[in-house]
Amino acid sequence: MSAASCLLTEDQFLCSICLDVFTDPVAIPCGHNFCKTCITEHWNINVPCQCPNCKEVFNTRPELRVNTFISEMAAQFRQSAQQKASSSSSEQHVAKPGEVPCDVCTGTKLKALKSCLVCLASYCETHLEPHLTASRLKRHQLIDPVENLEGRMCTKHDKLLELFCKTDQTCVCMLCTVSDHKTHDVVPLKEEYEEKKAELEKTEAETQQLIHKRRLKIQEIKRSVELSKEDADREIAGGVQVFTALKESVERSQAELIDTIREKQIKTEKQAKGFIQELEQEISELKKRSSELEQLSRSEDHLQLLQSLPSLNGAPPTMDWTEVSVCPPSYEGTVVRAVAQLEVTLSKQMRKLFEAELKRVQQYAVAVTLNPDTAHPELILSDDGKQVKHGDVKKNLPDNPERFDTCVNVLAKQSFSSGRFYYEVQVKGKPKWTLGVARQSINRKGQITLNPQNGYWMICLRNDNEYNACTDPSVRLSLKSQPETVGVFVDYEEGLVSFYDIDATALICSLTGCCFTEKLYPYFGPCIKAGGKNSAPLIISAVNHTE
């Protein structure tokens, strides 16, 4: 019998209802075989009695008797399958927590390899074999193992959820399409799956792009921090070097001052010591003569006194000390001269510092040209947009919102809303001018008050030598020389506007703590012509980088 069973295929021992090896197999009149329990339950539910395979209808319910031959063959096949499963179970994995177990395994549950959407069961390698070999089971849809296969069935019609209702955005079965979802837009589940999968893949790609951009931003920020640290370390090293040199210079000047004063004092003490020594010598000689005179004056021998007088030494030579004195040295001006010399040294050091600073800010030089749409009608602009001066005639120009109509000012075409920028303007020969930056929303009509509260960060020259920072109130600036070229540097994020005297390599002033929230435009105010005294133009000059 075992030899004969080897000639039979495995699907011949499977019940087409339970899809498992026959248990108490019975044959019905049409010749098909089923488990006795399976066909009994099937006919209990479905009336009239009908063969599940060929659909033949029986008017009278057939009497069921167990086919002992097929039963023995099925028992042998089941035993063979169990032995095979037993021998291969060591090669398969027992289902661990979180893994889908085989629904057919008894005792130890093996890990399922696939789940069947038709059978609504999951199978290990051994119990999956019929689905891979039996012709009618090959048509079943297998997927990667999943739990809760019952959730794939329609709770209302107990049918497989194989369609998708786009109207209600829910999965439905075939019977749902003729009832609750009859007029809805329904598509096969696979079609919606492909569409949603494509959307997910697109979203995933976009998400990955966002991740990539943010990683690049992280690298950019980290690089900025590295550059900031390098700048900070370099600035600290430079600052320490400068202050060390200044400290050494101050200490050296202090030591020289002390040495000068002490040298004068030592000279005075030496002179006084010489005078004292001479005076003490004269006192000693005078004391000796006084003693001789006193001794002789005490003698009562007339003859001896008269005879001894000629033998007395003459008076010792002495100096006339009436006009002799020790004058304390004069220290007036000693400290002042030392500080003045130190100031010269500090000025040289400051010039070096400003040269280094100017060299750094010049790295942010930008091209700037004048915007004729903002210029007051009396201003004359050069064709290249680099020069502006006040003219005698008021041109007939459109009074657009950007144009200054009362103050003779003009803005640049370029605007800046982040980072740092620098430009230079020649002011040579002008007794009056105004320079700086202005925010986009400034008032350009009527009289204008230049201060940060109104959106202007400026310095100006009035009456040839009166320089002011246009703050509220304005601050008078003290300059050693009149600038011929002014450099303007802005650090947007730092809130800083600095003005430099390029020719003197010096800082004119810095406006700090500025609050920038809009675009900034370079601002140029050549002021009125004043009868020709102020006819020279403001010239946006090329930046010659400091060597």
Side-chain angles (χ1 to χ4, degrees):
M1 185 179 292
S2 62
S5 66
C6 294
L7 300 176
L8 301 174
T9 60
E10 295 177 352
D11 60 337
Q12 290 177 296
F13 296 98
L14 300 179
C15 171
S16 60
I17 297 178
C18 67
L19 302 178
D20 202 354
V21 179
F22 288 123
T23 300
D24 295 332
V26 294
I28 61 177
C30 62
H32 291 109
N33 298 298
F34 305 94
C35 296
K36 183 176 181 181
T37 302
C38 292
I39 190 64
T40 300
E41 291 180 353
H42 181 74
W43 284 343
N44 288 340
I45 298 173
N46 298 281
V47 179
C49 298
Q50 184 181 38
C51 177
N53 289 349
C54 65
K55 308 303 180 182
E56 182 178 345
V57 178
F58 308 109
N59 295 325
T60 304
R61 185 166 181 166
E63 183 180 353
L64 301 178
R65 294 183 180 180
V66 175
N67 188 322
T68 56
F69 176 75
I70 297 178
S71 178
E72 290 176 358
M73 293 289 289
Q76 184 177 355
F77 176 77
R78 182 182 293 107
Q79 182 180 4
S80 175
Q82 289 176 348
Q83 291 176 350
K84 183 177 180 181
S86 176
S87 62
S88 62
S89 62
S90 59
E91 300 176 1
Q92 300 184 53
H93 298 290
V94 175
K96 299 177 182 178
E99 295 179 338
V100 179
C102 175
D103 291 325
V104 182
C105 287
T106 57
T108 301
K109 295 283 188 177
L110 298 182
K111 178 183 176 182
L113 295 184
K114 293 289 182 180
S115 294
C116 178
L117 294 180
V118 178
C119 305
L120 296 179
S122 299
Y123 301 101
C124 64
E125 181 180 357
T126 300
H127 295 115
L128 179 65
E129 191 169 348
H131 278 77
L132 304 177
T133 57
S135 58
R136 61 179 175 272
L137 296 180
K138 287 182 180 180
R139 295 191 294 270
H140 291 190
Q141 184 178 355
L142 298 176
I143 62 172
D144 290 334
V146 293
E147 294 182 319
N148 190 26
L149 285 169
E150 292 78 7
R152 297 175 177 271
M153 300 295 291
C154 176
T155 56
K156 185 174 182 179
H157 303 105
D158 199 27
K159 295 292 183 181
L160 184 65
L161 297 172
E162 52 186 339
L163 300 173
F164 185 82
C165 176
K166 286 180 169 289
T167 305
D168 293 338
Q169 291 292 299
T170 185
C171 297
V172 297
C173 69
M174 287 296 295
L175 294 180
C176 290
T177 62
V178 296
S179 57
D180 299 339
H181 301 266
K182 184 176 182 180
T183 60
H184 293 181
D185 182 11
V186 178
V187 297
L189 204 62
K190 184 177 181 181
E191 179 180 328
E192 184 67 17
Y193 162 81
E194 296 293 342
E195 181 179 333
K196 287 293 191 288
K197 184 178 180 181
E199 292 178 1
L200 288 174
E201 289 174 351
K202 180 181 178 181
T203 303
E204 170 65 12
E206 293 173 350
T207 303
Q208 288 298 327
Q209 185 66 22
L210 292 174
I211 293 172
H212 179 67
K213 288 181 178 179
R214 279 149 183 76
R215 284 176 175 166
L216 290 178
K217 181 57 69 174
I218 290 174
Q219 294 177 1
E220 178 186 332
I221 293 173
K222 287 182 176 179
R223 181 55 182 163
S224 297
V225 172
E226 292 174 359
L227 293 176
S228 176
K229 185 177 184 305
E230 292 174 3
D231 290 343
D233 292 342
R234 184 168 53 252
E235 199 69 17
I236 290 173
V240 169
Q241 182 179 0
V242 168
F243 277 95
T244 299
L246 292 176
K247 181 180 178 182
E248 291 175 352
S249 179
V250 171
E251 291 175 347
R252 185 166 53 252
S253 297
Q254 176 183 313
E256 291 174 356
L257 172 64
I258 294 173
D259 290 344
T260 300
I261 296 174
R262 284 180 175 172
E263 186 178 344
K264 287 185 177 182
Q265 177 62 21
I266 290 172
K267 184 178 180 180
T268 301
E269 290 178 355
K270 185 177 181 181
Q271 183 187 39
K273 184 177 181 181
F275 287 156
I276 292 172
Q277 286 178 347
E278 291 183 23
L279 288 169
E280 288 178 345
Q281 180 65 32
E282 288 187 3
I283 290 172
S284 178
E285 294 295 330
L286 290 172
K287 282 184 176 181
K288 183 178 179 182
R289 181 172 176 76
S290 175
S291 178
E292 291 176 351
L293 291 174
E294 182 183 2
Q295 184 178 359
L296 185 59
S297 66
R298 291 176 182 175
S299 174
E300 295 180 356
D301 187 342
H302 303 137
L303 181 62
Q304 183 185 6
L305 174 64
L306 294 174
Q307 289 178 344
S308 298
L309 283 175
S311 64
L312 285 175
N313 293 328
T318 58
M319 182 178 173
D320 184 4
W321 293 93
T322 305
E323 303 297 331
V324 176
S325 64
V326 176
C327 297
S330 174
Y331 299 112
E332 283 74 11
T334 305
V335 176
V336 173
R337 287 191 295 273
V339 173
Q341 182 59 43
L342 179 60
E343 185 178 6
V344 172
T345 303
L346 292 177
S347 296
K348 292 180 180 179
Q349 190 66 43
M350 288 297 293
R351 184 178 179 85
K352 291 181 180 179
L353 286 175
F354 282 129
E355 287 177 352
E357 181 176 343
L358 188 57
K359 184 177 182 179
R360 285 198 298 271
V361 300
Q362 284 178 334
Q363 296 176 0
Y364 301 99
V366 295
V368 175
T369 53
L370 303 171
N371 184 358
D373 292 336
T374 66
H376 184 276
E378 294 179 5
L379 292 180
I380 300 174
L381 277 60
S382 62
D383 292 338
D384 61 0
K386 295 293 185 179
Q387 300 185 27
V388 58
K389 63 181 180 179
H390 183 247
D392 294 322
V393 180
K394 186 174 183 180
K395 297 184 288 294
N396 185 17
L397 298 174
D399 187 19
N400 59 60
E402 297 179 350
R403 191 180 306 282
F404 292 96
D405 65 352
T406 302
C407 298
V408 286
N409 305 322
V410 62
L411 299 180
K413 291 180 179 179
Q414 294 74 21
S415 64
F416 305 89
S417 56
S418 64
R420 303 164 183 166
F421 62 94
Y422 172 86
Y423 59 95
E424 292 179 356
V425 182
Q426 181 178 313
V427 297
K428 182 178 180 181
K430 293 188 66 61
K432 292 184 179 181
W433 50 260
T434 305
L435 289 176
V437 292
R439 68 186 178 208
Q440 185 177 24
S441 63
I442 55 172
N443 175 34
R444 310 180 192 200
K445 307 300 180 182
Q447 293 298 325
I448 296 171
T449 301
L450 301 178
N451 59 42
Q453 289 78 3
N454 293 331
Y456 298 87
W457 292 268
M458 311 283 171
I459 63 170
C460 65
L461 169 62
R462 298 291 182 266
N463 304 322
D464 287 327
N465 58 1
E466 184 181 326
Y467 294 89
N468 292 283
C470 300
T471 53
D472 188 15
S474 62
V475 176
R476 183 76 175 267
L477 303 175
S478 178
L479 305 184
K480 293 182 178 180
S481 61
Q482 289 192 339
E484 294 187 353
T485 302
V486 175
V488 183
F489 171 71
V490 177
D491 188 327
Y492 194 98
E493 283 73 21
E494 192 68 21
L496 171 69
V497 182
S498 295
F499 301 89
Y500 295 89
D501 182 343
I502 304 303
D503 305 287
T505 318
L507 178 67
I508 298 175
C509 80
S510 286
L511 304 178
T512 59
C514 307
C515 182
F516 301 137
T517 57
E518 302 177 20
K519 292 180 179 180
L520 295 179
Y521 289 84
Y523 172 103
F524 306 86
C527 297
I528 61 175
K529 193 173 182 180
K533 295 180 180 179
N534 192 31
S535 59
L538 287 176
I539 303 174
I540 302 172
S541 55
V543 176
N544 294 320
H545 295 274
T546 304
E547 296 298 333

